[in-house]
Amino acid sequence: MLACAALAATAQAPAPYLDESLPADVRIEDAIGRMTLDEKIAMIHAQSKFSTPGCPRLGIPEIWMSDGPHGVRVEFTWDDWMWAGWTNDSCTAMPALTCLAATFNPDLAERYGEVVGSEARFRKKDIILGPGVNIYRTPLSGRNFEYMGEDPHLASTMVVPYIKGLQSNGVAACLKHYVLNNQEHDRDRVNVVVDERALNELYLPAFKAGVTRGKVWAVMGSYNKYRGTYCSHNDTLVNDILKKQWGFDGVFITDWGSAHDTREAALNGLDIEMGSWTNGLTWGESNAYDNYYMARPLRNLIAAGELDEKLVDDKVRRILRLCLRTNMNRNRPWGAMHTDSHLAAAREVAREGIVLLKNDKDFLPLKSGGKIAVIGENAVKVLSIGGGSSELKPKTEISPLQGIRDRFGDENVLFSLGYASGAPDYSRELPSPYDADSLREAAIATARMADAVLFVGGLNKNFSQDCEGDDRTSFSLPFGQDALIADLLAVNPRMAVVIVSGNAVDMPWQAKVPAIIQSWYLGSMGGAALADIVSGDVNPSGKLPFSIPARLEDCAAHAFGERAYPGVNGNVHYDEGLLVGYRWHDTRRIAARYPFGHGLSYTTFGYSAPRLDRKVYMPSDTITVSLTLSNKGSREGSETVQFYTSQKKPRLPRPAKELKSFCKTRLKAGESRVIEVRIPVADLAYYDDSLRRWVLDEDEFTIHVGASSADIRGKVSFRVAPGMALNTDIQ
Ligand code: GLC
């Protein structure tokens, strides 16, 4: 007994910063009080390509980061953009985030985040560098496939559950790229000139939702500037909006190479500096870590008394809070890699995200038993690689050809490459090694022999084909696809075109093709999911997260000359203001080829007239709108009912309508169900940049209920009451 008592008496309580029974803030302040200036400085910048050093003397662990947002990227060598050559870092490649957005299914977004977080945890990563929620402003932007479309409500609604799902694994999500990264061309220097209304009503909301509702633990600054100052150390964006107004208590990190000044970095809210003197993709100065802006230069300014050490303390405080949430949290799960349930989630997101754009005479689903000719490089190309930092090494990637063969039987499926691109490269377009004419001839011959043709083309995440670092240089399909589609139609008009991309593309053949599918970079289970849809085993339910214009010049960003895109003299002017995407098409009455929110089903849905619970609301009220949705067809299906609002006489110009809610519902054949959504009246406010706050007018408003932004099935109007309504300050 004595020994035990003696042992108990001598056992020291752990130092407060290690004592898990103490509140986090007590532990954090205790650790800061024990750290030297050099130890604090070491924590706020990289020690390697993807890690920071922690504080070894105090047993505070390193922080390890990895790209996302569609899965856990391969392991890199310590100090350069080289794959480390591990054999156990293959992952489940989830579909790209545009596909997730196209599901309009927040529950799937949470499942998606759980999968990515679980595999990150298994790989011992503490931060996944994703999701991205920059608004889709031009169909040329190289990274739209990594983002969630053109509408702030859709992106906000989908990003919150993604973050919660990911962080449930004790891994931080890192919301990016804060903010206004809406093009890749000149991304590392372009200064975005945008009015405050558009900034607050379009470009900030998804970030605000991720921080205030998603409680994201990390945010990444973008490369570009806002009002002439780099976003990665921008006082207005970081200290004022992100940290003060939104109460962000996590870590604000740079993009790789997005810091440019020691004082600005120290004073304007940057907490961790990563990747300085790299281009974020292919090259960087070796082992420059002590020369980082927030390394020796900052230490010298503090030692000289020019900057206060307390600035560093706040950065370290946030980093330690991140550690307690992640690598110092003993209760976090262990994670898993490439499980059947992860693959099932990948397939589910892909199935629900595929969008059926056109289906004349029920051309789809394809009937079994006939000969199907699958034609196009995207039917066989591994598309989880490429695209830049979101590249993945998938343990599995079922190609569209494999998926179709598995579903319809090898003997019923012919294949021809049709066209070929060069190998993926982040800095230039490599020429194809194949002879285009012979590929075309072979494809035509194959199409002749088939009962139906499934053309699988699109973009492919090669350089300037949906890839980080620069934008597309054309709205058209590359590699001669348009001509090939015309040649194939000439010999076999029974053709469905599957576009795999993260952006809208031109479709000169649209009127001649009986069926068109907008598919995405679908990840590990893509081919199986596409076969699920094409065969009719699964009824398509995806809806477009962005507008597909008939012509590039019909897109707002391309209606104001070079100054609006890609910019002149280092400035890009968002002259369209609030009118991005369907907001532009609706307000300027320019019909899109396929509108935001569009997506067909193999069944049809009926909408009753919408009903309101009241006719007059106060600003603090919530509107309850309901309608009866009916499945009029002969098979089960899901429909996303969209609720847009418009204001009758706004004090400031507003878009014709704005998405404020949506509801995805699955109905059996013949089933009817009452759909009910609740819209806070406060969500009808707009940002008044002269008052610099949100305002809600006393006025008449209308709710437009639609199957897409252009297919409105019913409307109902109401009033917002007087009194409190005028100039109500809405947070
Ligand atoms: C890249 C990307 C960013 C990524 C980071 C690390 O430049 O812009 O999204 O997370 O560098 O690879």
Side-chain angles (χ1 to χ4, degrees):
M1 284 301 287
L2 185 59
C4 294
L7 268 178
T10 56
Q12 295 293 323
Y17 72 96
L18 293 175
D19 183 343
E20 292 173 310
S21 68
L22 293 177
D25 290 350
V26 171
R27 298 176 65 189
I28 289 167
E29 295 313 313
D30 177 61
I32 291 175
R34 296 168 185 265
M35 294 170 77
T36 66
L37 175 59
D38 284 345
E39 288 171 332
K40 296 176 195 174
I41 290 284
M43 282 189 83
I44 64 175
H45 64 83
Q47 68 171 356
S48 76
K49 192 57 77 194
F50 285 100
S51 72
T52 58
C55 184
R57 178 177 65 86
L58 295 180
I60 293 169
E62 298 174 331
I63 293 175
W64 279 89
M65 311 175 189
S66 169
D67 287 302
H70 309 142
V72 194
R73 195 178 184 186
V74 292
E75 201 65 25
F76 274 75
T77 51
W78 183 263
D79 185 42
D80 55 33
W81 293 109
M82 297 284 289
W83 289 20
W86 287 15
T87 55
N88 62 352
D89 57 355
S90 300
C91 70
T92 301
M94 296 298 285
L97 286 188
T98 27
C99 178
L100 177 61
T103 69
F104 279 72
N105 184 338
D107 294 340
L108 270 185
E110 181 160 8
R111 181 76 190 105
Y112 188 118
E114 279 166 1
V115 170
V116 174
S118 172
E119 301 208 356
R121 178 70 191 99
F122 187 85
R123 281 275 305 285
K124 296 180 174 48
K125 304 302 179 185
D126 306 307
I127 304 178
I128 273 286
L129 301 167
V133 286
N134 293 102
I135 289 296
Y136 176 121
R137 175 176 178 259
T138 162
L140 303 186
S141 178
R143 293 187 86 169
N144 279 332
F145 71 95
E146 288 186 64
Y147 301 154
M148 296 191 186
E150 71 186 33
D151 180 80
H153 179 79
L154 173 60
S156 301
T157 307
M158 299 299 282
V159 75
V160 169
Y162 174 110
I163 291 166
K164 290 184 181 294
L166 197 151
Q167 295 187 161
S168 67
N169 292 278
V171 175
C174 182
L175 202 49
K176 70 186 187 181
H177 302 85
Y178 184 72
V179 66
L180 298 166
N181 165 228
N182 307 107
Q183 66 186 59
E184 286 299 288
H185 190 74
D186 273 349
R187 70 171 181 172
D188 53 357
R189 66 183 190 93
V190 73
N191 175 45
V192 176
V193 182
V194 61
D195 63 60
E196 271 200 312
R197 287 199 69 199
L199 175 71
N200 281 278
E201 295 191 34
L202 282 185
Y203 299 103
L204 286 177
F207 288 96
K208 180 175 182 181
V211 169
T212 59
R213 294 184 358 234
K215 304 297 179 200
V216 74
W217 294 340
V219 173
M220 182 191 296
S222 59
Y223 281 111
N224 52 279
K225 296 173 190 167
Y226 170 62
R227 289 188 177 159
T229 301
Y230 284 104
C231 291
S232 290
H233 32 74
N234 185 304
D235 186 44
T236 301
L237 294 174
V238 185
N239 284 339
D240 183 16
I241 296 173
L242 177 68
K243 293 186 173 180
K244 185 159 162 264
Q245 288 183 35
W246 297 350
F248 175 61
D249 70 354
V251 175
F252 184 68
I253 75 172
T254 60
D255 197 338
W256 269 237
S258 68
H260 298 272
D261 182 276
T262 294
R263 286 177 191 279
E264 282 191 16
L267 292 164
N268 293 350
L270 181 62
D271 298 315
I272 296 184
E273 179 184 358
M274 297 301 291
S276 287
W277 297 296
T278 73
N279 70 351
L281 269 180
T282 55
W283 55 260
E285 228 172 85
S286 202
N287 279 308
Y289 306 109
D290 285 340
N291 301 327
Y292 273 31
Y293 296 100
M294 291 218 297
R296 193 180 300 123
L298 176 55
R299 194 208 178 294
N300 293 344
L301 286 174
I302 291 170
E306 292 189 44
L307 286 176
D308 189 329
E309 183 168 344
K310 285 190 171 35
L311 285 171
V312 179
D313 289 352
D314 183 58
K315 303 176 196 299
V316 172
R317 186 167 293 117
R318 292 168 177 272
I319 295 167
L320 291 169
R321 189 174 296 129
L322 179 84
C323 290
L324 296 185
R325 287 167 167 166
T326 58
N327 54 28
M328 290 174 74
N329 164 12
R330 260 200 263 262
N331 303 317
R332 59 179 181 160
W334 290 105
M337 182 62 82
H338 198 261
T339 61
D340 290 347
S341 89
H342 290 181
L343 291 172
R347 185 168 185 165
E348 192 52 39
V349 173
R351 279 167 168 170
E352 285 211 27
I354 289 171
V355 182
L356 181 58
L357 296 178
K358 178 182 181 185
N359 192 27
D360 287 354
K361 302 187 186 68
D362 294 338
F363 180 80
L364 292 175
L366 292 182
K367 313 290 177 280
S368 295
K371 282 273 184 276
I372 301 169
V374 175
I375 296 174
E377 186 187 57
N378 275 357
V380 291
K381 185 175 173 71
V382 175
L383 289 171
S384 297
I385 60 170
S389 58
S390 62
E391 63 170 5
L392 295 173
K393 182 167 77 172
K395 192 170 178 66
T396 303
E397 181 164 333
I398 298 175
S399 69
L401 176 62
Q402 190 57 53
I404 297 293
R405 279 186 167 150
D406 291 347
R407 173 60 181 76
F408 289 91
D410 290 6
E411 69 286 359
N412 296 317
V413 180
L414 311 170
F415 171 69
S416 191
L417 196 62
Y419 70 91
S421 61
D425 183 286
Y426 299 147
S427 56
R428 64 198 185 285
E429 182 58 34
L430 298 178
S432 160
Y434 298 96
D435 167 57
D437 289 342
S438 55
L439 289 177
R440 183 166 49 81
E441 290 311 316
I444 290 169
T446 304
R448 272 203 184 89
M449 295 185 282
D451 298 302
V453 177
L454 191 66
F455 181 85
V456 186
L459 307 175
N460 64 7
K461 295 167 71 177
N462 280 9
F463 185 69
S464 81
Q465 300 299 343
D466 278 353
C467 181
E468 175 180 346
D470 212 334
D471 293 337
R472 293 163 66 198
T473 54
S474 163
F475 184 47
S476 300
L477 285 174
F479 319 124
Q481 292 177 70
D482 289 338
L484 176 60
I485 289 170
D487 291 342
L488 296 173
L489 280 169
V491 298
N492 192 336
R494 294 183 47 70
M495 175 155 92
V497 170
V498 178
I499 294 298
V500 179
S501 73
N503 263 310
V505 298
D506 192 13
M507 300 177 174
W509 29 264
Q510 182 266 341
K512 299 193 188 76
V513 172
I516 305 171
I517 284 176
Q518 172 64 53
S519 186
W520 314 100
Y521 303 115
L522 292 176
S524 286
M525 300 300 287
L530 184 63
D532 292 337
I533 297 293
V534 165
S535 66
D537 291 349
V538 171
N539 193 350
S541 63
K543 297 281 188 177
L544 284 178
F546 52 71
S547 312
I548 297 181
R551 306 172 308 150
L552 185 61
E553 48 274 30
D554 289 352
C555 168
H558 298 269
F560 298 91
E562 284 218 332
R563 58 178 269 121
Y565 179 84
V568 286
N569 303 327
N571 295 297
V572 61
H573 298 263
Y574 289 14
D575 289 337
E576 75 279 2
L578 290 168
L579 302 183
V580 168
Y582 68 87
R583 288 167 165 82
W584 171 261
H585 288 284
D586 289 353
T587 311
R588 294 298 180 91
R589 300 185 188 288
I590 301 170
R593 188 191 296 279
Y594 290 108
F596 171 87
H598 171 74
L600 302 177
S601 170
Y602 293 146
T603 184
T604 53
F605 295 95
Y607 290 54
S608 78
R611 307 176 286 275
L612 292 175
D613 58 333
R614 291 155 58 179
K615 294 301 280 177
V616 180
Y617 298 90
M618 297 294 284
S620 57
D621 286 341
T622 295
I623 302 161
T624 301
V625 49
S626 58
L627 69 140
T628 303
L629 182 71
S630 306
N631 180 345
K632 304 279 194 195
S634 57
R635 60 166 298 165
E636 188 173 43
S638 297
E639 172 72 327
T640 299
V641 179
Q642 299 149 50
F643 299 83
Y644 299 85
T645 60
S646 63
Q647 182 176 345
K648 190 169 185 180
K649 292 193 190 113
R651 274 191 320 107
L652 295 178
R654 299 191 73 167
K657 57 180 184 294
E658 303 164 51
L659 183 71
K660 295 297 178 188
S661 186
F662 57 85
C663 176
K664 185 166 194 173
T665 306
R666 188 185 191 87
L667 295 178
K668 291 185 176 54
E671 184 184 3
S672 291
R673 192 179 307 164
V674 173
I675 308 291
E676 183 175 285
V677 298
R678 299 164 64 74
I679 302 172
V681 174
D683 284 1
L684 304 178
Y686 58 85
Y687 186 83
D688 182 327
D689 41 0
S690 59
L691 300 174
R692 306 200 74 186
R693 60 193 186 130
W694 291 87
V695 168
L696 182 62
D697 294 336
E698 167 200 354
D699 198 353
E700 182 178 314
F701 291 80
T702 299
I703 292 176
H704 309 252
V705 179
S708 83
S709 60
D711 180 4
I712 298 304
R713 304 292 183 87
K715 296 179 185 178
V716 62
S717 297
F718 59 94
R719 285 198 67 75
V720 170
M724 274 176 59
L726 287 172
N727 298 341
T728 304
D729 194 356
I730 306 279
Q731 276 314 321

